[in-house]
Amino acid sequence: LVAAVKPAVVSITVEGSQPVSNGSQMGEQYYFNFPDLPPDNPLRKFFDQFGQNGQNGPNGQMSPNGRNGQGPATRKFEAAGSGFIISSDGYVVTNNHVVNDATKITVIMDNGDQHNATLIGTDPRTDLALLKIDGAKDMPFVSFADTEPRVGDWVVAVGNPFGLGGTVTAGIVSARGRDISGSATGDFLQIDAAINRGNSGGPAFNLNGQVVGVNSAIFSPNGGNVGIAFAIPSSIVKQVVTQLEQNGHVTRGFLGVNIQDVTADIADSVGLP
């Protein structure tokens, strides 16, 4: 199984820039040293004086993160994640949070070959993104599963945890239909294969070598693997990827209906038990 699917799983490295929301880079260095500093703490105001949003610092010099006070403050970053190729012409599925704000995306194959990639589209709502390897042809690729996995089914995860590309772990589907905090997708697969930072965007395979989910999040008190990971089911991924490939974005209907828990008071008011 691993020999068949591993060539289609890629490591993704990105370079980009993000807006700096609180103070200059000089001030931000202090914020990182004191992450629990309250917003109304006098020290925060002290740090802000070193060039809020690219304005001049206390001595009249240009602050480190702006251009003479013009334009929003930004900072450069580098990040890494995982992905997998779904077609011979080089379409790659990954997580939106892996490539968000990226200005350069590099796809690294299992054999070490590196390719530049173009962002085709993203869907923050499901945390999915579609890339296209520039000039790709005859690429190894994998397919999505046509059947839903069952609780207890074996899964194999392949990805790039902590930059260790081509890492394979195994486990089972622990639960289905999980709703995790901060996500608009209330239908995650829960798996117990070891998933860590950098596995995001990588595939979870069934024993037929088909993708059953995209590894996207973990539950952990310490930031590392504790056996509770969450993957976006392939049924959702296929729908989103199809729209991203065709339109570059996802279009959804809107019903104008809200859902809420039925409390005892609500039940009494509408005559429910």
Side-chain angles (χ1 to χ4, degrees):
L1 168 61
V2 173
V5 302
K6 201 162 175 271
V9 182
V10 300
S11 300
I12 298 174
T13 61
V14 302
E15 300 175 14
S17 60
Q18 292 175 323
V20 177
S21 57
N22 294 317
S24 69
Q25 287 183 352
M26 188 178 297
E28 287 249 329
Q29 292 174 5
Y30 289 99
Y31 293 158
F32 292 150
N33 291 334
F34 302 99
D36 299 321
L37 196 65
D40 57 350
N41 191 292
L43 285 177
R44 183 174 286 268
K45 296 179 181 179
F46 172 77
F47 296 147
D48 282 342
Q49 73 174 316
F50 288 106
Q52 176 78 21
N53 291 329
Q55 297 173 358
N56 289 341
N59 298 320
Q61 298 95 356
M62 185 179 72
S63 74
N65 63 323
R67 294 187 295 271
N68 294 322
Q70 297 177 355
T74 60
R75 68 180 178 195
K76 294 183 178 180
F77 71 90
E78 295 181 355
S82 307
F84 56 98
I85 305 172
I86 58 171
S87 65
S88 61
D89 56 349
Y91 280 99
V92 178
V93 175
T94 186
N95 278 141
N96 173 62
H97 74 259
V98 171
V99 296
N100 192 35
D101 294 322
T103 56
K104 180 181 179 181
I105 303 173
T106 304
V107 171
I108 305 172
M109 306 293 293
D110 185 52
N111 63 6
D113 291 348
Q114 298 189 15
H115 305 277
N116 292 329
T118 301
L119 182 62
I120 301 300
T122 65
D123 183 41
R125 193 176 175 89
T126 55
D127 193 22
L128 291 169
L130 183 66
L131 314 176
K132 176 74 164 59
I133 298 175
D134 298 344
K137 60 180 181 180
D138 298 327
M139 288 284 181
F141 65 93
V142 291
S143 303
F144 293 106
D146 294 324
T147 57
E148 296 287 337
R150 302 169 300 172
V151 175
D153 279 350
W154 282 99
V155 290
V156 173
V158 187
N160 182 33
F162 304 113
L164 301 171
T167 297
V168 179
T169 56
I172 63 169
V173 177
S174 303
R176 292 183 50 183
R178 291 299 198 203
D179 186 1
I180 65 176
S181 175
S183 172
T185 303
D187 191 25
F188 282 89
L189 299 175
Q190 180 184 328
I191 64 176
D192 68 350
I195 301 297
N196 289 284
R197 293 183 183 274
N199 272 113
S200 290
F205 294 101
N206 62 20
L207 294 186
N208 295 321
Q210 300 169 320
V211 178
V212 296
V214 176
N215 302 318
S216 300
I218 61 173
F219 178 84
S220 173
N222 56 19
N225 168 63
V226 294
I228 301 178
F230 301 100
I232 307 168
S234 59
S235 57
I236 295 176
V237 180
K238 284 189 291 185
Q239 296 179 32
V240 171
V241 166
T242 298
Q243 291 200 52
L244 291 179
E245 182 178 353
Q246 294 174 350
N247 308 315
H249 63 273
V250 175
T251 302
R252 294 180 172 87
F254 180 71
L255 298 179
V257 176
N258 291 325
I259 298 174
Q260 68 181 109
D261 293 334
V262 178
T263 65
D265 290 339
I266 294 176
D268 289 341
S269 67
V270 295
L272 292 174

